[in-house]
Amino acid sequence: MITLRKHVLPSILALVLLSTSACTSGVAAGIPSAGIPSGGTPSGTPSKSGGGTSQSAAPAESASPSAAVPQLTPASTVDARTVLAAFKSRDMVGHLQALQRVADANGGNRASGTPGYEESARYVEEQLRAAGYEPVRQSFTFKEDGRRGKTVETFNILAETGGSAGHTVVVGAHLDSVEDGPGINDNGSGVAAILETAKWMKEKGITPVNRVVFAFWGAEENDLDGSRHYVNELSKAGKEQTAAYLNVDMAASPNGVRSFHDGDGSDFGDAGPKGSDGIEAVFERYFKENSLPAETTPFEDGDSDYDPFLRAGIPGGGLFTGEEKKKTKAQVQAYGGVAGKVLDSCYHKACDTVSNINADLFKEMSGAMAYATATYAMAKTG
């Protein structure tokens, strides 16, 4: 998944600064139609994701659509402190426990193309339907890594709100695990964060001005296949009308940090497409208003589901709590934890279970995703 490279805020007193840049947002012109059944389930058999400058995840030659992406000004319809308080009392861990039970009953994993993935998908769909959404499956195939890798059928799950299709905000997390473990932090935590964001918006009666597409990607762990398929299926107009992509990939690392992507490139030298700076600023605001130290992390080429969006010129950003990097002493000052220990010692391992999480960090990061989603859902043009 995403790799943390550089600690930006070394002290617990060094809170994130609110960017003066205007925030942007948007939404795709509806869910891509190719490969998606008309109902909530597919017809036929169900189908089955420190220091130094990062490499650009959005090459200039592929970023032309950003010039046409509608620029949005976030509306202050939600209060960051209120959102955090709400998410501290939500049953976030309940989703992780459910996904753990799925893995336990299916050979210890939830990898794309397996019964564990199918059962995970049914859980997500049930949760979405109960909240009032109409999820659909977007089918695709992928080839497993290796010269003799077999072709596997799988799918993304997509659920949308009302609102302007000309200003679409896509909010995504990968649903699949690796074959070696249940994938509870990576990325059951991201799935839970988006599920609770979708449920919270319904409960609060938030009626989006801009369409939000909640996306649960398949085959991310193979090669970002699900999110790449989604972007590839968008028409030129669909890409131009997708104003923002918000990603969450690992939100509960046991020795983790609070980080969000360096959209303007000011910390790592590689900015996302035009509008990514606004996404960064929204996350900055959430952490600052809640007096939570946080730091930026670079976009890493091919490292998570933001990559296909950035390559298509779509503004992107998101959240990450860390995996294989070791925690520094400065980070311990800011976040607590253990210096010299990796942020998630169970990354891509069988021990990535429901006991491998930081529940408080998980709720804080989930609140950040809900805040950003609601802000962009209500953003205005101009």
Side-chain angles (χ1 to χ4, degrees), residues 29-71:
I31 295 173
S33 59
I36 303 180
S38 57
T41 56
S43 55
T45 304
S47 331
K48 304 273 183 197
S49 206
T53 302
S54 69
Q55 298 198 359
S56 175
E61 66 270 19
S62 65
S64 57
S66 65
V69 168
Q71 300 296 299

Side-chain angles (χ1 to χ4, degrees), residues 13-328:
L13 298 178
L15 304 177
V16 292
L17 301 178
L18 177 61
S19 169
T20 58
S21 303
C23 298
T24 62
S25 164
V27 211
I31 295 173
S33 59
I36 303 180
S38 57
T41 56
S43 55
T45 304
S47 331
K48 304 273 183 197
S49 206
T53 302
S54 69
Q55 298 198 359
S56 175
E61 66 270 19
S62 65
S64 57
S66 65
V69 168
Q71 300 296 299
L72 301 179
T73 301
S76 300
T77 59
V78 293
D79 177 75
R81 289 166 294 183
T82 301
V83 175
L84 176 60
F87 272 74
K88 282 185 175 181
S89 64
R90 297 186 75 87
D91 184 22
M92 304 296 304
V93 177
H95 296 305
L96 304 187
Q97 292 170 333
L99 293 174
Q100 180 71 62
R101 289 193 293 271
V102 168
D104 291 345
N106 290 279
N109 72 77
R110 302 179 300 100
S112 282
T114 69
Y117 185 79
E118 171 64 27
E119 192 172 337
S120 297
R122 290 176 183 172
Y123 175 79
V124 168
E125 290 165 337
E126 288 169 2
Q127 291 289 314
L128 290 169
R129 290 193 188 100
Y133 295 93
E134 298 180 0
V136 297
R137 294 185 178 191
Q138 182 188 36
S139 305
F140 64 94
T141 61
F142 69 96
K143 188 172 182 180
E144 292 182 333
D145 287 340
R147 293 179 59 186
R148 298 185 180 181
K150 65 179 180 179
T151 298
V152 179
E153 276 193 295
T154 193
F155 54 89
N156 300 319
I157 298 173
L158 308 172
E160 64 176 34
T161 69
S164 170
H167 304 90
T168 296
V169 181
V170 182
V171 183
H174 72 87
L175 178 58
D176 63 319
S177 74
V178 294
E179 293 183 354
D180 293 333
I184 299 304
N185 184 33
D186 182 19
N187 187 35
S189 63
V191 168
I194 293 181
L195 273 178
E196 283 301 304
T197 293
K199 291 172 64 176
W200 170 78
M201 286 180 63
K202 285 284 190 180
E203 291 168 14
K204 300 302 291 183
I206 296 173
T207 303
V209 173
N210 309 302
R211 179 181 296 170
V212 178
V213 176
F214 295 106
F216 302 85
W217 309 120
E220 189 271 356
E221 296 289 6
N222 187 67
D223 191 21
L224 314 181
D225 297 289
S227 53
R228 182 177 295 110
H229 177 77
Y230 176 92
V231 173
N232 288 345
E233 288 297 305
L234 289 173
S235 64
K236 182 176 183 293
K239 291 175 184 175
E240 291 173 350
Q241 293 171 351
T242 303
Y245 175 64
L246 308 178
N247 191 68
V248 54
D249 193 348
M250 302 177 66
S253 303
N255 196 36
V257 300
R258 303 180 197 95
S259 75
F260 52 94
H261 290 293
D262 179 25
D264 63 7
S266 61
D267 294 315
F268 296 93
D270 288 309
K274 183 179 179 181
S276 300
D277 57 341
I279 297 172
E280 177 185 359
V282 169
F283 285 121
E284 284 181 323
R285 183 188 309 151
Y286 169 86
F287 290 115
K288 180 181 179 181
E289 291 187 2
N290 281 299
S291 300
L292 295 172
E295 60 190 74
T296 59
T297 188
F299 291 118
E300 295 288 342
D301 189 12
D303 210 41
S304 192
D305 289 303
Y306 53 74
D307 191 69
F309 289 87
L310 301 186
R311 290 181 179 278
I314 295 168
L319 299 168
F320 178 53
T321 55
E323 21 100 315
E324 295 181 298
K325 295 292 181 181
K326 292 182 179 180
K327 199 166 210 176
T328 67

